[in-house]
Amino acid sequence: MRRLLLTTLLFLGCVAAAVAPASAADKLSVRLDFSPWGVQAAIHLAQFKGWFKEAGLDVDIQDGRGSGNTIQLVNAGQADVGQVQVGLVGSARAKGATIRSIATFQRRTDLCILVDKDSPIGKVADLRGKRVVVFAASPWSPFVDVYLKSGGLTRDDLKLDVVDPAALWGTYIAKRADGLMSTVGSALPIAEQSRPSKCLLASDAGIAFPSYGLVAREDTIAAKGPALRKLIQVEQRAWQALHENPEEGVKAMIAERPDARLDEKILLGQIKLTLDYFETPASKGKPIGWQAKEDWEAALKSMEAAGVVNAGWNVSDYYTNVLVE
């Protein structure tokens, strides 16, 4: 009788194990910066290939309405992670946010001013008397005066128009402006089709601003560290795959966002330019996403000069490498 009871219990245990649902995947919501464009290729590739699922993650990828807006939503707890321009962490923390950069993929400063490819404009001083457009929430906004000062100019020396984001490209393409403040990777491939352009880089004026990566709230980092680490590892895998075959990113993005009417040529150009801005001298040879203290110190000095952060900042408040392997 005793043996029968043990046998029965063992059998029932095996049945229960067979029919029990697998442990639920770790759920993460990731809010992107804007509607689909090339800098988002890795996360879409990972979703398309099923790599998140393989890692035990259930990732909800949401399109955004600007890096600043995404940071606000992440800080409000409405998304676990933001894929944004991580340099905006500086201004966000100055306003009381508790977010940090947990990985920066595009570590070189890519802020630029687009001008005609054959234009004689080649440096800051050449913008005297010109018309330049920017949108109010642009990451460029706090650095305008610092940038102009490096060329001996002030806002009085040119026409700086702050326009609605929806009017930005139309104004530039219609040649109602001589320059457009944007980023290299997002802007150059778009301009190539209707107004071939070149870039005046903010970094040439001494401005440091880390570009695209991942941000999360400090309490989310503490509560969901293992899941965030998996997220970064999968994105590292995807970025490495894109280094070898950027066309895969184009296919994945079109498959994941079929209604977005994406242009393959523009996407490919954006992906390639994004990859060009992955390394700084301080991060060379380090894992994808790893952040150098020297780069963040340079960025915070630029932010301090622009009045974004106050003196006396602690660099470790703005980023962490604890999740990057």
Side-chain angles (χ1 to χ4, degrees):
M1 183 70 181
R2 190 172 178 184
R3 179 177 293 178
L4 176 63
L5 178 60
L6 289 173
T7 303
T8 302
L9 289 174
L10 178 60
F11 171 76
L12 291 175
C14 291
V15 170
V19 301
S23 59
D26 289 322
K27 293 186 177 182
L28 287 175
S29 55
V30 180
R31 178 87 173 185
L32 305 179
D33 60 319
F34 269 114
S35 53
W37 69 283
V39 81
Q40 302 166 3
I43 197 166
H44 286 300
L45 178 62
Q47 191 80 307
F48 179 68
K49 293 284 191 180
W51 293 342
F52 287 129
K53 186 176 180 180
E54 285 179 16
L57 295 176
D58 178 4
V59 181
D60 174 25
I61 302 172
Q62 307 166 1
D63 295 338
R65 300 176 59 188
S67 286
N69 177 260
T70 292
I71 284 175
Q72 289 176 2
L73 293 176
V74 171
N75 190 59
Q78 296 182 37
D80 296 314
V81 180
Q83 182 165 305
V84 296
Q85 287 176 298
V86 299
L88 293 173
V89 167
S91 56
R93 289 191 69 93
K95 296 173 184 175
T98 60
I99 61 170
R100 290 189 187 190
S101 172
I102 59 173
T104 303
F105 304 117
Q106 206 176 2
R107 292 169 284 202
R108 279 179 59 198
T109 303
D110 67 342
L111 295 179
C112 77
I113 300 179
L114 264 65
V115 297
D116 283 323
K117 186 174 286 187
D118 58 358
S119 168
I121 300 173
K123 56 185 185 299
V124 180
D126 296 335
L127 293 172
R128 186 182 297 273
K130 306 300 182 183
R131 185 184 182 199
V132 178
V133 289
V134 66
F135 67 94
S138 168
W140 255 110
S141 297
F143 297 107
V144 170
D145 294 313
V146 174
Y147 180 78
L148 294 176
K149 185 178 179 180
S150 72
L153 303 180
T154 69
R155 294 186 188 225
D156 294 334
D157 294 314
L158 69 160
K159 175 67 172 175
L160 183 69
D161 282 351
V162 180
V163 301
D164 186 90
L168 190 71
W169 273 102
T171 302
Y172 182 71
I173 296 303
K175 297 196 173 184
R176 295 196 298 271
D178 301 290
L180 179 149
M181 290 183 160
S182 186
T183 61
V184 177
S186 66
L188 273 182
I190 296 175
E192 188 61 31
Q193 293 190 350
S194 49
R195 189 177 178 181
S197 301
K198 61 184 178 182
C199 274
L200 305 183
L201 295 173
S203 57
D204 290 341
I207 295 172
F209 187 84
S211 195
Y212 285 90
L214 304 175
V215 301
R217 278 196 340 187
E218 291 175 350
D219 58 348
T220 303
I221 296 170
K224 298 188 176 185
L228 295 177
R229 182 175 287 108
K230 290 180 186 178
L231 177 76
I232 293 170
Q233 289 173 343
V234 174
E235 285 222 43
Q236 287 172 326
R237 176 183 179 182
W239 281 120
Q240 187 58 50
L242 290 170
H243 271 285
E244 298 167 3
N245 188 1
E247 287 82 5
E248 283 295 301
V250 175
K251 295 176 185 176
M253 291 193 69
I254 291 174
E256 288 293 308
R257 292 294 187 268
D259 298 326
R261 302 178 66 181
L262 300 172
D263 185 294
E264 292 184 22
K265 187 175 180 181
I266 290 176
L267 277 181
L268 184 59
Q270 290 175 333
I271 294 169
K272 288 181 176 180
L273 283 171
T274 295
L275 293 168
D276 284 347
Y277 280 74
F278 258 45
E279 283 192 344
T280 64
S283 64
K284 189 174 180 61
K286 296 294 186 179
I288 293 172
W290 185 88
Q291 303 165 93
K293 179 182 178 182
E294 298 92 330
D295 291 338
W296 269 103
E297 286 176 337
L300 288 163
K301 287 176 183 176
S302 289
M303 293 178 203
E304 183 181 336
V308 175
V309 298
N310 295 324
W313 39 263
N314 181 356
V315 67
S316 62
D317 290 340
Y318 298 86
Y319 80 99
T320 177
N321 283 321
V322 70
L323 301 174
V324 178
E325 295 181 0

